[in-house]
């Protein structure tokens, strides 16, 4: 009998599993709550009106046909004991389950803008277009996403000749905790040159969508963008499964769940560790991509009666754009800042953007805006 693999989540990790199982003797079903595979790293460019939404979102039904069945329906519960996944409309049985539902912001305050789905990016774009002159934007979270967004707002402000006040707020006393301290210092200098105000060691409460409270002081603002506090997407498991670092699922080195040989967790949802087993992976797209490929291989090993292999991550480095032709990066032991990593960021993201037509459109937009210096 053909084994049935159910993949929950058609993002970076889940899509790799589907792609690498095509024609390999499995019945594959992909479940996602949204109709698109979304290239999340470019969402901030959709939010500032630089990138059209169709460039970053590809229809999963079209990508899956004819080999894979695509079901658009949110997962509501997972019954591990009976090998079934419940959605709002049906129950789907599986022989193997791959959980790749990504991460979510833990309890984002009502009325704040997020940056994880296409709808959120478009809502932010609409709000920015209605921004009155001299509006104030508060970006919460000093990780790569917050830094990128703050820099992008500065660019938006320049393109539209508007004097936005942009505050980047971080509860810890440094930016970019996953990267070396000198890169964080370079980022601060660069953002300050772009006019971004930094508030480190500052906690934020949200009184209403137009009032942020920073360390107790009320700040009227146009909008609040919340990027802090990513955790593994909660899915109701029966019986309960162990979660560890950032509410991600505990996995074995093979990426199988601790107590379930036929269930894998990958990408942002999984608490996978780096090669030396001491630290958790941080949750970036290359980790998700490599884990997806690895699990597809392990599933083929199951079919052949072989034991699954442990996952090892090949770290090709990290890059983050910080606005105004500037970026930071770490490749192996080498830290990079300035225009070089900025160019590399665009080359890498253009390369990994799925679909030739999308790459061509993205390249056209970037050349128009950054080479010819035209308004998007
Ligand atoms: C704004 C932003 C910018 C980023 N920039 C970069 C970058 O420049 N470089 C980089 O390497 N990484 C970046 N990342 C991180 C990167 O996007 C993630 O590490 C990557 O998307 C993880 O892949 P994934 O497949 O685990 O999850 P995702 O790509 O998030 O996919 C999860 C999928 O699961 C689906 N899903 C969720 N819940 C359910 C449910 N209940 N039922 C059904 N389906 C569900 C979602 O709809 C989604 O399609 C960024 C992240 C953000 C938020």
């Amino acid at each position: 009998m053909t084994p049935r693999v159910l993949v929950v989540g058609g993002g970076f990790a889940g899509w790799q599993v589907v792609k690498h199982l095509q024609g390999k003797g499995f019945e594959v079903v992909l479940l996602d709550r949204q109709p698109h595979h979304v290239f999340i790293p470019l969402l901030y460019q959709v939010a500032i009106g630089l990138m059209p939404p169709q460039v970053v979102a590809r229809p999963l039904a079209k990508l899956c046909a004819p080999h894979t069945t695509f079901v658009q329906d949110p997962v509501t519960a997972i019954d591990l004991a009976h090998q079934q996944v419940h959605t709002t409309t049906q129950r789907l049985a599986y022989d193997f389950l791959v959980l790749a539902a990504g991460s979510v912001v833990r309890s984002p305050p009502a009325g704040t803008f997020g940056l994880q789905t296409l709808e959120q990016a478009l809502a932010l774009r609409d709000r920015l277009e209605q921004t009155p002159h001299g509006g104030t934007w508060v970006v919460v979270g000093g990780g790569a996403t917050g830094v990128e967004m703050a820099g992008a707002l500065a660019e938006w402000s320049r393109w539209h000749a508007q004097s936005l006040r942009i505050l980047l707020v971080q509860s810890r006393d440094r930016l970019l905790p996953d990267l070396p301290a000198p890169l964080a210092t370079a980022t601060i200098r660069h953002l300050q040159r772009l006019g971004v105000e930094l508030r480190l060691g500052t906690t934020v409460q949200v009184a209403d969508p137009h009032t942020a409270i920073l360390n107790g002081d009320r700040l009227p603002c146009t909008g609040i963008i919340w990027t802090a506090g990513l955790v593994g997407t909660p899915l109701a498991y029966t019986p309960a499964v162990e979660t560890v670092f950032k509410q991600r699922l505990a996995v074995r080195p093979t990426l199988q769940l601790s107590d379930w040989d036929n269930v894998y967790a990958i990408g942002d949802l999984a608490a996978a560790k780096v090669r030396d087993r001491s630290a958790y992976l941080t949750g970036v797209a290359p980790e998700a991509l490599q884990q997806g490929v690895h699990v597809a291989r392990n599933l083929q090993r199951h079919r052949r009666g072989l034991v699954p292999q442990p996952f090892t991550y090949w770290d090709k480095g990290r890059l983050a754009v910080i606005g105004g032709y500037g970026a930071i990066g770490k490749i192996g032991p080498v830290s990079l800042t300035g225009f070089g990593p900025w160019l590399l960021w665009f080359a890498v993201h253009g390369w990994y953007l799925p679909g030739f037509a999308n790459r061509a459109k993205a390249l056209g937009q970037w050349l128009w805006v950054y080479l010819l210096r035209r308004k998007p």
Side-chain angles (χ1 to χ4, degrees):
M1 215 177 74
T2 311
R4 184 185 236 212
V5 179
L6 189 53
V7 180
V8 175
F12 283 93
W15 176 244
Q16 288 303 309
V17 179
V18 170
K19 201 168 116 185
H20 286 85
L21 285 185
Q22 281 176 358
K24 295 289 191 300
F26 291 93
E27 180 199 349
V28 183
V29 178
L30 173 64
L31 250 177
D32 202 302
R33 64 180 171 192
Q34 54 185 11
H36 297 108
H37 167 86
V38 179
F39 195 82
I40 295 177
L42 291 189
L43 277 183
Y44 84 92
Q45 297 196 358
V46 173
I48 56 169
L50 168 59
M51 202 51 72
Q54 60 273 23
V55 170
V56 306
R58 299 181 84 204
L60 281 167
K62 205 167 150 192
L63 289 176
C64 283
H67 304 282
T68 304
T69 306
F70 173 58
V71 179
Q72 190 199 336
D73 209 354
V75 168
T76 52
I78 294 178
D79 185 345
L80 295 166
H82 297 99
Q83 298 193 184
Q84 284 188 343
V85 170
H86 300 201
T87 72
T88 49
T89 58
Q90 56 187 313
R91 288 174 185 204
L92 292 158
Y94 63 82
D95 297 304
F96 294 99
L97 177 64
V98 182
L99 299 166
S103 52
V104 288
V105 170
R106 179 179 29 209
S107 351
T112 57
F113 290 91
L115 210 54
Q116 283 202 293
T117 65
L118 189 62
E119 290 70 29
Q120 289 173 337
L122 291 173
L124 179 51
R125 187 185 71 175
D126 291 347
R127 187 77 189 92
L128 269 170
E129 280 169 3
Q130 300 152 8
T131 298
H133 284 272
T136 299
W137 282 85
V138 178
V139 181
V140 182
T145 304
V147 162
E148 258 172 10
M149 193 62 230
L153 283 175
E155 294 208 63
W156 187 94
S157 159
R158 185 169 52 83
W159 294 332
H160 295 83
Q162 292 203 22
S163 56
L164 290 190
R165 184 179 178 208
I166 305 157
L167 286 94
L168 176 60
V169 188
Q170 159 81 322
S171 57
R172 295 165 77 161
D173 57 4
R174 60 159 289 191
L175 293 181
L176 302 168
D178 294 335
L179 288 167
L183 289 181
T185 310
T187 302
I188 290 177
R189 276 201 303 268
H190 185 87
L191 287 174
Q192 283 173 335
R193 272 201 301 274
L194 294 176
V196 175
E197 294 174 37
L198 283 137
R199 299 287 172 85
L200 301 180
T202 301
T203 55
V204 186
Q205 288 162 309
V206 176
D208 62 59
H210 300 292
T211 316
I213 304 174
L214 308 185
N215 277 353
D217 295 332
R218 291 175 86 82
L219 176 79
C221 57
T222 314
I224 302 164
I225 303 170
W226 200 278
T227 72
L230 282 187
V231 293
T233 299
L235 299 167
Y237 302 95
T238 322
V241 298
E242 188 192 355
T243 55
V244 283
F245 175 67
K246 296 186 180 175
Q247 295 175 27
R248 295 179 185 185
L249 304 186
V251 288
R252 292 181 240 168
T254 52
L255 303 175
Q256 290 159 293
L257 286 196
S258 313
D259 297 324
W260 305 90
D261 283 348
N262 63 337
V263 183
Y264 284 85
I266 51 176
D268 280 9
L269 181 60
K273 290 189 171 177
V274 293
R275 203 186 308 246
D276 63 10
R277 324 287 329 137
S278 60
Y280 290 107
L281 292 174
T282 51
V284 286
E287 297 165 1
L289 292 169
Q290 290 180 33
Q291 289 175 15
V293 176
H294 185 79
V295 164
R297 287 197 187 125
N298 269 350
L299 288 168
Q300 291 171 60
R301 293 181 68 84
H302 281 284
R303 255 194 98 231
R304 298 201 298 269
L306 303 171
V307 290
Q309 292 292 298
F311 170 72
T312 45
Y313 177 55
W314 179 31
D315 186 357
K316 298 178 198 162
R318 292 280 303 273
L319 292 164
V321 162
I322 50 179
Y325 299 89
I328 45 131
K330 183 173 179 295
I331 296 172
V334 183
S335 292
L336 306 163
T337 56
F339 183 66
W342 182 87
L343 212 52
L344 198 56
W345 187 98
F346 281 86
V348 168
H349 287 77
W351 177 260
Y352 278 101
L353 186 65
F356 179 76
N358 286 345
R359 270 182 231 146
K361 280 186 206 148
L363 186 63
Q365 283 293 109
W366 290 334
L367 291 176
W368 178 258
V369 172
Y370 292 114
L371 191 68
L372 302 179
R373 293 180 175 264
R374 304 288 173 84
K375 200 171 145 181

